Amino acid sequence: LNRNAWRQGIMFTCMKGLLQHLYHKYHLQHVLLTIWPNNQASMALAHKLGFLYKGIIPGSGYNANTKTKVDMCAYSLALSYRIKVWEQE
């Protein structure tokens, strides 16, 4: 996403729509995200969407620049519960 579009709610709206689609069309119940540990914006977005921080998954990411495995932050979401919350808003 272009930096000029940051902090305008665009990714929140897109992610919320995607999660709703996955739930209604494919009956997806749970979602796991992995986020680079220093990506504060993505962590804030995950939290705003209702994801819960679960911890670090060692070596679960890959840095193409350094060609090394990296630790990632894990977040999970019980989608069936979150959909009910969104539908009541």
Side-chain angles (χ1 to χ4, degrees), residues 34-45:
T34 56
I35 300 174
W36 291 94
N38 59 351
N39 189 336
Q40 297 298 318
S42 290
M43 290 179 192
L45 174 61

Side-chain angles (χ1 to χ4, degrees), residues 13-70:
T13 301
C14 290
M15 287 297 298
K16 183 178 174 184
L18 173 63
L19 292 167
Q20 289 171 321
H21 174 75
L22 292 172
Y23 177 77
H24 290 297
K25 180 156 177 122
Y26 300 104
H27 310 289
L28 193 67
Q29 298 296 309
H30 293 86
V31 178
L32 175 71
L33 290 180
T34 56
I35 300 174
W36 291 94
N38 59 351
N39 189 336
Q40 297 298 318
S42 290
M43 290 179 192
L45 174 61
H47 179 73
K48 185 175 179 182
L49 286 164
F51 282 82
L52 299 175
Y53 176 74
K54 292 298 186 178
I56 299 289
I57 304 175
S60 59
Y62 183 75
N63 184 326
N65 294 327
T66 62
K67 297 183 176 157
T68 58
K69 290 184 177 182
V70 295

